[in-house]
Amino acid sequence: MYKAQISDGEQIECADYETDNTGATLYDEEGNFIAFVPYTHLLYVGRVTEDGQMVW
């Protein structure tokens, strides 16, 4: 599981993500699109451990 931190304070949980030259595309556990976050609004994407801790 991953969590994307957006510059406005929002956090989006996702099962997988891809990056390209413009931003990160987030996907759920079935591979369905959740959101596209441009790099101008993305602070980071980090892995979340089973106990809920963020791993950079």
Side-chain angles (χ1 to χ4, degrees), residues 12-16 25-29 31-36:
I12 303 172
E13 290 188 5
C14 60
D16 198 12
T25 305
L26 311 177
Y27 300 96
D28 67 11
E29 292 178 354
N32 297 314
F33 173 83
I34 296 175
F36 174 78

Side-chain angles (χ1 to χ4, degrees), residues 3-44:
K3 189 179 289 184
Q5 179 69 47
I6 313 303
S7 61
D8 68 359
E10 182 178 0
Q11 296 181 347
I12 303 172
E13 290 188 5
C14 60
D16 198 12
Y17 70 96
E18 295 178 349
T19 59
D20 63 18
N21 292 334
T22 58
T25 305
L26 311 177
Y27 300 96
D28 67 11
E29 292 178 354
E30 286 101 36
N32 297 314
F33 173 83
I34 296 175
F36 174 78
V37 183
Y39 287 130
T40 55
H41 298 287
L42 181 66
L43 298 178
Y44 59 83

